[in-house]
Amino acid sequence: MAKCRVLIVLWTTGRCNLKCRYCYASESNEKYDMDFETATKVLDYFGNQPMKIQFAGGEPLLNYDLICKVYEYVNKRGYDAVFQMQTNATLIDEQKAIQIKKMKIAVGVSLDGPPDINEWLRGKTKEAVYGIQCLAKAGVKTNINSVVTEQNVTRLTELVDFALYLGNIRGIGLDLLREAGRAKNSDNLIKKANDEQLKSALNLLHERCELLHKQTGKKIVIREIEEAKKRLSSSACNKNYCYASCGSSYVILPNGDVYPCGSLINKSEYYMGNINNTPLKYIELAKQTPGECSECDYFSICPGGCPSRMIVNGVEQEEKNLDCILKKSAFDIAFKLRE
């Protein structure tokens, strides 16, 4: 049986060229770059097993040279690794897009809605669109990740049209708000969407994707619905929410400190050690099933809510957990598609 990949998140830099109103990482003091020596120590430490290497931050492309060096080092050493990156795309030009294609980096772009919404929440929308267009020109397809807030939840359907216009978007994923960093600053007016808004948004997103597919032949999928479809059709369903929930995730900061998830940085109880002083501590985030999950029709196949988001948000204070609303709504849609 093939060994499962371990997720290695290289926090290439703590710097970012945007000031997203909800950024959970804004309180981090990791505002400098990872050096090549630290990166190689990470790669050598995990080099005896298959790796999924994710470039993150901050904005990972602010340390673009390191990304290229990591790719070259992995290939030189013959490590079994695949690459992915979550980026705001604002620093991508034609040359970088060509190199990203060459390095076979799977790209996810953060985009929170149509241009006016994205500009208010994130900024530099023009630059992000140009970056995505450069990826398209280089033949790189990508996915969009959208943080759902009260400000954009009712306009997410417009994101489908925007994605269709961009041309190289395969799918859209929804990320629920983490109440940390700038999101905790009431001056920014950033709030969570409520359960009815979230349920309605997911259904409208699905309907819009289906309509545009019929009209244009171009398919854009919703990540949460696709996952639900797979779980409904699987005879043996893994209930792990993510790599961190099965103890296979290591987020390495520029100074070498390691945590199981980027949302838990600076929480001492989740500190796994430093790559310069191995071995690292093993941490498996506890699976959490808040609210009425145990009574849900999909309980046997649902992975539950995001463990780290529940830790950050303090889920016990919520009457209903939005993770449950999102998952159940996705399962409901996927179930109807089978009929």
Side-chain angles (χ1 to χ4, degrees), residues 95-249:
Q95 189 58 44
K96 284 190 178 73
I98 292 171
Q99 188 65 17
I100 288 169
K101 173 75 170 180
K102 178 182 177 182
M103 294 188 288
K104 298 180 181 179
I105 300 176
V107 180
V109 176
S110 300
L111 206 66
D112 289 340
D116 61 315
I117 290 292
N118 189 73
E119 189 66 25
W120 189 81
L121 284 167
R122 301 181 55 81
K124 295 194 176 182
T125 303
K126 181 179 179 180
E127 291 86 342
V129 169
Y130 176 71
I132 295 171
Q133 291 174 329
C134 287
L135 290 172
K137 186 175 180 180
V140 178
K141 291 189 178 295
T142 185
N143 294 311
I144 286 176
N145 190 68
S146 183
V147 175
V148 182
T149 66
E150 186 181 65
Q151 283 70 27
N152 70 342
V153 66
T154 60
R155 297 189 60 190
L156 287 175
T157 52
E158 297 174 55
L159 189 58
V160 180
D161 297 69
F162 195 22
L164 189 69
Y165 158 76
L166 291 169
N168 61 328
I169 307 300
R170 293 177 298 190
I172 298 172
L174 303 181
D175 190 13
L176 300 177
L177 185 69
R178 286 168 169 77
E179 295 179 291
R182 294 193 187 102
K184 291 177 67 176
N185 185 345
S186 60
D187 292 341
N188 285 327
L189 304 176
I190 300 297
K191 298 178 181 178
K192 292 184 296 183
N194 63 45
D195 53 349
E196 288 302 320
Q197 288 175 325
L198 184 60
K199 182 178 180 179
S200 175
L202 188 64
N203 279 276
L204 290 173
L205 272 172
H206 168 66
E207 291 171 7
R208 190 63 180 167
C209 285
E210 292 293 297
L211 177 62
L212 292 179
H213 184 213
K214 290 179 180 178
Q215 292 179 336
T216 69
K218 295 181 180 180
K219 183 71 172 178
I220 296 173
V221 302
I222 306 302
R223 180 183 62 199
E224 287 71 22
I225 297 174
E226 290 303 297
E227 180 187 354
K229 287 163 62 177
K230 291 177 182 178
R231 288 183 174 275
L232 281 170
S233 62
S234 176
S235 58
C237 206
N238 187 324
K239 289 196 69 176
N240 290 316
Y241 182 89
C242 61
Y243 284 87
S245 67
C246 59
S248 298
S249 174

Side-chain angles (χ1 to χ4, degrees), residues 4-10 49-55 80-84 243 248 250:
C4 293
R5 293 187 183 276
V6 61
L7 176 64
I8 309 301
V9 182
L10 294 180
Q49 54 191 309
M51 294 179 282
K52 177 182 285 188
I53 300 172
Q54 182 182 84
F55 301 111
D80 180 0
V82 295
F83 299 95
Q84 61 184 38
Y243 284 87
S248 298
Y250 298 83

Side-chain angles (χ1 to χ4, degrees), residues 242-300:
C242 61
Y243 284 87
S245 67
C246 59
S248 298
S249 174
Y250 298 83
V251 178
I252 297 89
L253 300 185
N255 67 352
D257 284 345
V258 184
Y259 293 84
C261 176
S263 297
L264 302 177
I265 290 171
N266 293 332
K267 289 186 177 294
S268 59
E269 61 269 39
Y270 298 101
Y271 178 65
M272 304 173 78
N274 189 286
I275 198 63
N276 295 300
N277 185 24
T278 56
L280 300 174
K281 181 180 178 181
Y282 175 86
I283 292 182
E284 179 179 316
L285 295 186
K287 300 173 182 63
Q288 300 197 34
T289 54
E292 302 171 355
C293 285
S294 61
E295 300 175 6
C296 177
D297 292 338
Y298 307 113
F299 179 69
S300 64

Side-chain angles (χ1 to χ4, degrees), residues 51-75:
M51 294 179 282
K52 177 182 285 188
I53 300 172
Q54 182 182 84
F55 301 111
E59 169 48 47
L61 288 173
L62 285 169
N63 197 359
Y64 175 66
D65 287 345
L66 179 68
I67 293 174
C68 296
K69 289 179 180 178
V70 165
Y71 170 79
E72 292 170 359
Y73 187 79
V74 165
N75 281 276

